[in-house]
């Protein structure tokens, strides 16, 4: 080819690429997650933990709305691993959702799996985490979904953004703790510290005043914090001394701006806030502390970090402190929950289902079953409608897709088998049934679930997480849900839309969603201890009529187990 012609061709090609870059916003993002062991020191002791790419918390996954995301996960550790993209809707791509034995076989030591999904109709902060046993304690990180190119936030653009991942740290090996607890039939040991971006912080045992996460700010500027509760078992209050926070988004859904001096975030939830650096100088304590208003032992340590004004000369400058709320501050927690609203603007409407095709009533809580080899001769279990979920050894999605019999049954009950005073002292008989049962929904059905806490051993708040969907939290109350009087209190205009909701201690929460995502979707308590005990169930959502309403075929390299 003559030289000038090839040059011309090159120019044409470059122009095409440029044109494509301008007109097609969505791209494919490639990530590689190497799951590796890594030694870490915290609280004056050292242990080996599982990490992604040697980091705790793991790497942040960035994408824009509409992007295709490819994550190759390579397992270099002697444990089975899976990764869940918590809150990513996975429309028609349930093969890549991640919960072990629900949608996939584990990635076994030495093998790998390519997760392949597109982020559709979502923007904000979510998280990824391991979804097998208790590995998510250290195998987790942020997902930041930016709006499409050229689309602004529906609030003033912040000067800078920061990811803030909250977690829990145990000095002992985590798998040993849960395995031992399951053997003995009792609650596992509580964690030794709460962490902010992986660190207990400057106020923790054996820390120096420089330890931990430091957020540098300039006076007069506004910052956006993308806060994620990646803790296993603790609801957390979040506060920064001397500053107010404006909530603008939760679980990757924009909210009406809500100004507050304290946040409550349950495990699995995310909260984006604007922080106006409106003080002149100094250092301010940022802290997280547990919320627990039931007689259940939790880690009561306060995780800390420092907000540092960069014009503050000395690192030893005055530190503004405050006292965290008491662990049982129910009123603060309810006020926060009651104050959040969907943005419900023209661009971001709240499409709340107005009618209900499937009306479900789920009692959630714990029970006690006989266990000859356990400490007390009994085992504490989790239940939904008196069923303790038994994990299958073949993933339910595979069994459903390939019609493999004997893995699950489709008789998950829509209502509890017996009526009782749910939030009273509970029935005398604490036993539960067990099984691998699913609830089947036709495509596009509108579903309402009343999540009713029970007092079978003790009432307790449960953060319930639904895979594959966002839901609207249309109602919430204390005591027993009343089909007669409770619905009149529902908000069907601008209820908060999210993927994880804390059901109040001794109360109920009403959620609604449209079953517009065919596949197999897990719903469970996001306190990992309760999930281990069996507080979980599965929805099977049928295909619709059109190809665009049909689960895609599995990948060629579908893992087997
Ligand atoms: C990802 O999945 C899509 C279908 O959803 C498919 O077209 C594409 O080829 C897949 N990408 C890779 C790298 O496997
Ligand atoms: C749990 O804590 C107790 C003491 O509080 C300790 O004796 C026990 O070894 C711990 N169990 C595990 C599995 O770490
Ligand atoms: C935290 O709990 C421990 C017992 O686990 C108790 O000794 C301690 O006083 C508690 N601390 C606070 C601040 O409540
Ligand atoms: C919260 O706990 C404190 C200390 O244990 C107790 O004095 C107080 O009565 C409790 N408050 C509520 C509302 O239960
Ligand atoms: C054993 O059961 C008794 C009462 O049934 C209870 O008080 C105790 O806490 C249980 N022990 C353990 C280790 O769970
Ligand atoms: C249910 O139990 C609660 C707590 O003991 C009690 O206040 C309430 O009156 C009971 N409700 C009914 C209908 O018995
Ligand atoms: C739960 O099921 C068990 C086992 O069948 C039964 O003994 C118990 O009464 C049931 N409890 C409730 C609250 O339905
Ligand atoms: C399920 O319940 C049956 C009957 O009570 C019991 O024999 C079995 O061990 C239970 N299975 C599991 C996995 O708990
Ligand atoms: C799903 O149901 C809603 C409400 O009835 C309806 O507006 C929508 O068109 C349905 N979508 C499909 C794909 O059937
Ligand atoms: C890993 O998963 C495979 C397939 O389900 C299973 O056979 C094996 O026992 C698991 N290994 C461990 C250590 O749990
Ligand atoms: Cu729970």
């Amino acid at each position: 080819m003559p030289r000038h012609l090839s040059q011309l061709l090159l120019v044409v090609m470059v122009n095409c690429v440029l044109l494509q870059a301008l007109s097609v916003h969505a791209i494919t993002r490639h990530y590689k997650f190497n799951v590796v062991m890594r030694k870490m020191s915290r609280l004056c002791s050292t242990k080996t933990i599982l990490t992604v790419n040697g980091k705790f918390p793991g790497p942040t996954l960035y994408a824009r709305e509409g992007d295709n995301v490819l994550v190759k996960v390579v397992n270099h550790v002697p444990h089975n691993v899976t990764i869940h993209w918590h809150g990513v809707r996975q429309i028609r791509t349930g093969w890549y959702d991640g919960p072990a034995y629900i949608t996939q076989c584990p990635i076994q030591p030495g093998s790998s799996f390519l997760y392949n999904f597109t982020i559709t109709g979502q923007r904000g902060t979510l998280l990824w985490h391991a979804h097998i046993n208790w590995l998510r304690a250290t195998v987790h990180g942020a997902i930041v979904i930016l709006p499409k190119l050229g689309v602004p936030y529906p609030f003033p653009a912040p000067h800078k953004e920061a990811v803030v991942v909250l977690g829990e740290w145990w000095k002992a090996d985590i798998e040993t703790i849960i395995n031992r607890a399951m053997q003995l039939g009792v609650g596992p040991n509580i964690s030794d510290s709460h962490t902010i971006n992986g660190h207990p912080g400057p106020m923790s045992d054996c820390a120096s005043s420089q330890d931990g996460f430091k957020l540098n700010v300039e006076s007069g500027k506004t910052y956006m914090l993308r806060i994620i509760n990646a803790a296993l078992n603790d609801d957390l209050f979040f506060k920064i001394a001397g500053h107010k926070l404006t909530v603008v988004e939760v679980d990757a859904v924009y909210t009406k701006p809500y100004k507050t001096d304290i946040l409550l975030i349950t495990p699995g939830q995310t909260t984006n806030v604007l922080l106006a650096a409106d003080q002149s100088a100094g250092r301010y304590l940022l802290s997280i502390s547990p919320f627990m208003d039931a007689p259940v032992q939790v880690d009561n340590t306060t995780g800390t970090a420092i907000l540092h004004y960069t014009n503050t000369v000395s690192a030893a400058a005055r530190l503004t402190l405050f006292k965290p709320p008491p662990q049982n501050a129910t009123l603060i927690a309810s006020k926060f929950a009651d104050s959040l609203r969907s943005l419900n603007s023209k661009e971001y409407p709240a499409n709340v289902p107005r009618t209900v095709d499937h009306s479900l009533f789920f009692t959630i809580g714990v029970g006690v079953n006989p266990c000859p080899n356990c400490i007390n001769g009994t085992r504490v279990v989790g239940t939904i409608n008196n069923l303790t979920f038994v994990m299958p050894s073949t993933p339910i999605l595979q069994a459903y897709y390939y019609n493999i019999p004997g893995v699950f049954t489709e008789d998950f009950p829509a209502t509890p088998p017996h009526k009782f005073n749910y939030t009273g002292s509970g029935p005398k008989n604490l036993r539960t049934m067990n099984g691998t049962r699913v609830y089947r929904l036709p495509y596009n059905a509108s579903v309402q679930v009343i999540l009713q806490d029970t007092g079978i051993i003790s009432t307790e708040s449960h953060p319930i997480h639904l895979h594959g969907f966002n839901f609207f939290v249309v109602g919430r109350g204390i005591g027993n849900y009343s089909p007669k009087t409770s619905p009149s209190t529902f908000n069907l205009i601008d209820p908060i839309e999210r993927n994880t909701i804390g059901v109040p201690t001794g109360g109920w929460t009403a959620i609604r969603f449209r079953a517009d995502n065919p596949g197999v979707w897990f719903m469970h308590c996001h306190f990992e201890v309760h999930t281990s005990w069996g507080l979980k169930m599965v929805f099977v959502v049928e295909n619709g009529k059109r190809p665009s309403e049909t689960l895609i075929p599995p990948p060629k390299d579908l893992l087997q187990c």
Side-chain angles (χ1 to χ4, degrees):
M1 192 187 304
R3 197 188 148 92
H4 67 276
L5 210 64
S6 77
Q7 263 173 356
L8 186 69
L9 203 62
L10 191 69
V11 168
V12 170
M13 274 167 61
V14 166
N15 276 339
C16 278
V17 169
L18 277 178
L19 271 177
Q20 249 183 13
L22 287 174
S23 59
V24 185
H25 290 163
I27 60 167
T28 294
R29 312 243 174 192
H30 295 260
Y31 281 87
K32 184 149 181 207
F33 278 19
N34 283 309
V35 184
V36 293
M37 309 296 288
R38 169 91 197 264
K39 263 196 179 162
M40 294 236 168
S41 298
R42 297 286 185 277
L43 306 172
C44 300
S45 70
T46 299
K47 70 168 184 170
T48 304
I49 61 167
L50 266 71
T51 68
V52 165
N53 301 348
K55 292 186 170 155
F56 171 68
T60 298
L61 197 154
Y62 288 92
R64 281 189 189 278
E65 178 184 346
D67 284 353
N68 176 229
V69 179
L70 295 175
V71 187
K72 183 167 185 185
V73 177
V74 187
N75 183 354
H76 301 277
V77 299
H79 295 269
N80 286 338
V81 173
T82 69
I83 305 284
H84 168 51
W85 318 94
H86 182 115
V88 172
R89 289 216 43 209
Q90 297 288 3
I91 293 167
R92 302 171 53 220
T93 55
W95 303 105
Y96 305 108
D97 188 40
Y101 303 110
I102 305 297
T103 63
Q104 72 167 102
C105 292
I107 308 169
Q108 296 190 35
S111 54
S112 66
F113 185 63
L114 181 70
Y115 290 90
N116 171 2
F117 53 88
T118 297
I119 295 178
T120 308
Q122 294 182 282
R123 69 304 286 170
T125 306
L126 294 170
L127 67 156
W128 57 264
H129 62 76
H131 212 307
I132 184 166
N133 304 326
W134 275 29
L135 302 191
R136 78 176 177 85
T138 57
V139 179
H140 63 244
I143 302 177
V144 171
I145 310 168
L146 300 169
K148 289 182 175 172
L149 260 187
V151 177
Y153 293 132
F155 44 81
H159 174 61
K160 267 188 187 152
E161 303 186 2
V163 167
V164 182
V165 182
L166 316 181
E168 266 174 285
W169 184 268
W170 278 260
K171 288 182 190 168
D173 177 67
I174 288 155
E175 288 300 287
T176 311
I177 286 170
I178 183 58
N179 291 343
R180 188 107 185 94
M182 294 303 280
Q183 260 169 16
L184 299 177
V186 300
N189 282 1
I190 56 171
S191 54
D192 297 300
S193 181
H194 292 116
T195 57
I196 300 175
N197 283 345
H199 294 274
M203 313 294 266
S204 68
D205 289 350
C206 86
S208 92
S209 66
Q210 300 300 305
D211 275 6
F213 175 60
K214 193 160 105 181
L215 182 66
N216 287 322
V217 296
E218 285 172 55
S219 237
K221 303 238 155 103
T222 297
Y223 297 79
M224 181 157 83
L225 308 185
R226 297 173 175 272
I227 310 163
I228 296 167
N229 186 345
L232 287 193
N233 299 319
D234 294 343
D235 291 345
L236 293 168
F237 287 121
F238 178 103
K239 191 174 155 83
I240 303 179
H243 291 77
K244 291 223 181 242
L245 304 166
T246 303
V247 178
V248 290
E249 181 242 293
V250 298
D251 295 7
V253 180
Y254 293 131
T255 66
K256 292 197 170 73
Y258 169 57
K259 201 163 180 179
T260 173
D261 55 12
I262 193 159
L263 311 175
L264 176 69
I265 315 180
T266 78
Q269 290 185 335
T270 62
T271 307
N272 279 11
V273 298
L274 298 177
L275 163 71
D278 53 10
Q279 307 297 311
S280 53
R283 300 184 310 138
Y284 298 82
L285 194 70
L286 186 160
S287 87
I288 56 170
S289 62
F291 166 57
M292 170 53 77
D293 60 353
V296 173
Q297 202 200 2
V298 289
D299 173 355
N300 62 12
T301 63
T302 299
T304 53
I306 302 289
L307 178 74
H308 179 102
Y309 280 75
T310 48
N311 57 339
T312 303
V313 183
S314 154
R318 194 173 69 93
L319 178 61
T320 307
L321 300 168
F322 75 94
K323 226 170 109 214
Q327 193 172 296
N328 57 4
T330 309
L331 290 178
I332 296 177
S334 336
K335 181 172 180 233
F336 184 77
D338 289 342
S339 300
L340 297 179
R341 295 280 182 281
S342 285
L343 182 55
N344 191 29
S345 64
K346 207 165 142 211
E347 292 82 9
Y348 305 102
N351 293 314
V352 189
R354 291 308 182 99
T355 55
V356 173
D357 302 327
H358 285 251
S359 183
L360 310 178
F361 186 88
F362 286 2
T363 52
I364 57 175
V366 288
V368 180
N369 280 345
C371 170
N373 298 326
C374 293
I375 281 193
N376 269 353
T378 55
R379 168 196 300 291
V380 183
V381 294
T383 81
I384 304 180
N385 282 351
N386 204 34
L387 269 168
T388 296
F389 189 85
V390 177
M391 271 302 196
S393 50
T394 301
I396 295 179
L397 180 57
Q398 276 187 36
Y400 168 65
Y401 191 83
Y402 292 110
N403 286 310
I404 304 168
V407 176
F408 64 88
T409 57
E410 295 190 354
D411 54 351
F412 192 90
T415 53
H418 299 291
K419 280 195 177 149
F420 57 99
N421 184 352
Y422 304 116
T423 50
S425 54
K428 285 217 172 63
N429 178 1
L430 306 182
R431 284 182 73 151
T432 68
M433 301 178 289
N434 66 36
T436 308
R437 303 199 198 173
V438 309
Y439 191 91
R440 191 164 174 136
L441 291 165
Y443 181 78
N444 205 36
S446 84
V447 185
Q448 173 173 292
V449 189
I450 309 298
L451 298 160
Q452 171 72 61
D453 185 29
T454 65
I456 292 182
I457 294 181
S458 154
T459 54
E460 181 183 348
S461 168
H462 298 278
I464 301 295
H465 171 50
L466 176 62
H467 291 226
F469 303 91
N470 285 340
F471 49 73
F472 292 95
V473 183
V474 298
R476 176 183 194 275
I478 299 303
N480 300 330
Y481 173 80
S482 156
K484 281 214 186 81
T485 58
S486 301
S488 67
T489 66
F490 285 3
N491 173 4
L492 301 178
I493 308 296
D494 62 355
I496 198 69
E497 180 185 347
R498 56 190 328 163
N499 63 58
T500 307
I501 186 66
V503 176
T505 299
W508 55 269
T509 294
I511 62 171
R512 284 191 186 182
F513 64 97
R514 185 166 295 286
D516 56 1
N517 190 8
V520 164
W521 305 111
F522 207 11
M523 189 169 88
H524 60 94
C525 183
H526 219 272
F527 286 159
E528 209 56 38
V529 53
H530 293 166
T531 306
S532 302
W533 287 348
L535 208 173
K536 47 197 174 187
M537 61 81 65
V538 166
F539 286 108
V540 166
V541 177
E542 295 168 2
N543 285 331
K545 292 197 184 72
R546 289 175 271 264
S548 63
E549 302 164 3
T550 302
L551 176 68
I552 63 164
K556 287 201 185 66
D557 60 350
L558 184 68
L559 295 167
Q560 302 297 324
C561 49

